[in-house]
Amino acid sequence: MATCRSCGSDDVRSFLDLGVLPLPDALRRAAELQQDEKRYPLEVGFCASCSLVQILEEVDPEEMFVANYHYYSSFSDALLRHSKKNVDNLVATRGLGPESLVVELASNDGYLLQYFVKHGVPVLGIDPSPGPAAAAAEKGIPTMETFFTRELAEQLVANGKQADVIVANNVMAHVPDVNGFVGGIAKLLKENGTTSIEAPYVRDLIEHCEFDTIYHEHLCYFSVSAVEALFERHDLHLNKVEHLDIHGGSLRYYASPTPDPDGSVERYLDEETRLGLDTQDFYDGFANRVGQLKTDLRELVARLKGEGKSIAAYGAAAKGAIMLNYVGLDHQMLDFVVDRNTHKQGRYMPGMDLEIRDPRALLEDKPDYTLLLSWNFKDEIMEQQQEYLNQGGKFIVPVPHPEVVSHAGVHSH
């Protein structure tokens, strides 16, 4: 990228280079392990003009979200609870009913829209991934299997469709043409409609050293300053911002063609200015902290391995692939990975060739330690794995710094 994805400025400076890594969702079958894997640079920069943090390379979206996408949102109970609460709140506060329309961009397998349907609210899902889109259609959720663009928004409006609410969770970061995406939202919203957009918060990412949430699918890492500038460009008023604990710390953005501020946006902008999120300085020490985490985690795993301990990993998500590849934890260091997602079981993690198995393998093989790659769902996973913990199993939580956790509590290493 020669210029900023949002404002077009050429003042984008790199502050972290994670190396040349395979696509984190390109899980392989056993027969493919001998083939060469495509690898792409993963480097992050800061735009001095509009404060947007972004990766400096781009991979064809077809390759990421159509050919290699095995993420089904419904496999996470915590995400389902989070989504239902969001829906119940939107139905109540926006007065949604049978005359309304809710459109979700990146609707996946219908994990969220199903709750609007239960309220009797008409919905439309838009998602380019064939597997999840088919799963949504099976649930009776009208879904268009395509990418959302300004052109698609114009086509929907021409067909008499305008949205009271547009939901877009964990997708704005995935879009190469972020201006086309937000311009499409502005087009599709009714004058008094609102967005409900969730995206990981760059402040949490930096402060908690969550470098593994940086991957090829995540092109942008948003602050309120960067989002306000982006929305303003398309005549959308950012009216309200809420902080959420999900995915290591996220923000939910409510924007509308009509101004209706509640004061939260001002508070966030003031705080970001105070902390320097709109300056290069805030990001400069990050690479050193990431390097330290890599060293600490490698040393911990190597020491346990040297003591003859067996180590597995939990979570075959993209962040797990980044963690394993950047730190260099392969089948010499770890035995296997487990994941609840049945679509991933039997495949292998990119770059590291670790087999993905059913979580039951933790009880069958009883590894001494399990590296918790899906640390963003730590509480949910440890609850599900109570039996493993009771039998003496321990988890290694890698972020913000590696520590060992057993049911008796935390042990620092």
Side-chain angles (χ1 to χ4, degrees):
M1 294 296 298
T3 57
C4 171
R5 282 188 172 79
S6 178
C7 73
S9 158
D10 57 8
D11 196 2
V12 181
R13 306 168 205 172
S14 168
F15 64 86
L16 174 68
D17 188 348
L18 291 173
V20 183
L21 303 181
L23 291 181
D25 277 317
L27 307 179
R28 306 207 289 173
R29 300 183 187 281
E32 298 166 330
L33 293 181
Q34 301 314 312
Q35 297 169 12
D36 277 348
E37 274 175 296
K38 289 184 184 168
R39 290 174 172 264
Y40 301 90
L42 194 51
E43 194 175 350
V44 201
F46 168 79
C47 173
S49 298
C50 75
S51 307
L52 182 65
V53 172
Q54 53 205 295
I55 64 172
L56 306 182
E57 300 281 335
E58 209 166 280
V59 180
D60 178 8
E62 288 279 331
E63 198 168 331
M64 290 191 287
F65 300 111
V66 180
N68 289 306
Y69 207 62
H70 308 287
Y71 181 77
Y72 289 70
S73 300
S74 296
F75 282 102
S76 167
D77 299 338
L79 186 62
L80 291 176
R81 284 195 299 273
H82 171 82
S83 304
K84 181 179 187 303
K85 191 173 156 190
N86 186 15
V87 168
D88 292 347
N89 179 50
L90 283 166
V91 169
T93 57
R94 307 297 303 183
L96 302 175
E99 302 304 308
S100 312
L101 175 65
V102 174
V103 177
E104 186 182 9
L105 316 180
S107 47
N108 199 267
D109 59 7
Y111 75 102
L112 179 137
L113 288 179
Q114 62 184 341
Y115 299 115
F116 282 113
V117 171
K118 283 178 184 157
H119 280 287
V121 178
V123 301
L124 173 64
I126 300 172
D127 197 294
S129 303
E138 262 172 51
K139 291 178 189 162
I141 291 161
T143 305
M144 298 176 76
E145 190 188 308
T146 184
F147 287 99
F148 178 72
T149 59
R150 197 187 312 238
E151 292 68 38
L152 181 63
E154 285 165 0
Q155 190 186 318
L156 289 168
V157 173
N159 295 339
K161 283 195 186 325
Q162 272 200 291
D164 295 271
V165 177
I166 294 178
V167 179
N169 294 343
N170 298 299
V171 58
M172 194 160 67
H174 295 183
V175 181
D177 178 12
V178 73
N179 284 298
F181 185 79
V182 175
I185 289 173
K187 181 85 186 156
L188 189 56
L189 266 183
K190 289 181 182 169
E191 189 57 36
N192 61 348
T194 184
T195 63
S196 172
I197 293 175
E198 291 176 22
Y201 189 23
V202 74
R203 176 183 173 182
D204 290 311
L205 185 157
I206 299 293
E207 290 185 346
H208 304 141
C209 210
E210 298 165 356
F211 75 91
D212 54 342
T213 57
I214 295 169
Y215 40 89
H216 305 89
E217 288 165 15
H218 283 174
L219 304 174
C220 300
Y221 304 85
F222 294 103
S223 60
V224 178
S225 315
V227 168
E228 192 194 39
L230 171 61
F231 284 7
E232 218 168 63
R233 202 174 300 129
H234 301 282
D235 300 321
L236 285 173
H237 298 271
L238 184 56
N239 289 322
K240 180 179 175 184
V241 180
E242 287 173 349
H243 190 273
L244 309 164
D245 290 334
I246 199 157
H247 299 310
S250 299
L251 292 182
R252 185 181 286 150
Y253 299 96
Y254 297 93
S256 173
T258 312
D260 183 20
D262 75 342
S264 56
V265 176
E266 285 307 310
R267 285 195 298 276
Y268 268 92
L269 292 173
D270 290 347
E271 179 77 347
E272 288 185 0
T273 303
R274 189 178 68 75
L275 291 166
L277 261 77
D278 52 355
T279 67
Q280 180 84 23
D281 294 355
F282 184 76
Y283 305 94
D284 277 343
F286 187 55
N288 296 337
R289 289 163 47 220
V290 172
Q292 190 58 52
L293 190 154
K294 173 180 182 169
T295 303
D296 293 347
L297 184 57
R298 269 195 76 90
E299 283 176 359
L300 173 59
V301 170
R303 182 165 60 73
L304 294 173
K305 210 67 196 154
E307 290 168 10
K309 305 293 188 202
S310 53
I311 309 172
Y314 192 115
K319 59 159 44 74
I322 295 298
M323 180 70 73
L324 295 177
N325 280 277
Y326 174 69
V327 178
L329 301 175
D330 59 10
H331 52 274
Q332 309 290 317
M333 309 283 265
L334 305 176
D335 299 342
F336 55 87
V337 178
V338 299
D339 198 284
R340 275 179 85 192
N341 183 335
T342 48
H343 303 276
K344 295 181 179 183
Q345 291 164 11
R347 292 174 183 255
Y348 289 77
M349 292 297 279
M352 293 289 122
D353 296 352
L354 286 157
E355 189 185 0
I356 302 162
R357 298 168 60 182
D358 186 291
R360 285 194 298 259
L362 295 184
L363 290 177
E364 290 159 9
D365 285 39
K366 297 190 175 52
D368 299 304
Y369 293 83
T370 299
L371 174 61
L372 193 54
L373 298 171
S374 300
W375 49 262
N376 52 324
F377 292 121
K378 177 178 123 186
D379 296 343
E380 175 183 345
I381 290 166
M382 289 187 64
E383 208 175 296
Q384 286 164 5
Q385 295 304 322
Q386 201 51 57
E387 186 56 30
Y388 169 69
L389 289 165
N390 291 344
Q391 293 186 15
K394 296 184 177 73
F395 281 103
I396 301 169
V397 181
V399 172
H401 44 79
E403 56 185 20
V404 174
V405 183
S406 67
H407 67 303
V410 173
H411 322 275
S412 286
H413 277 262

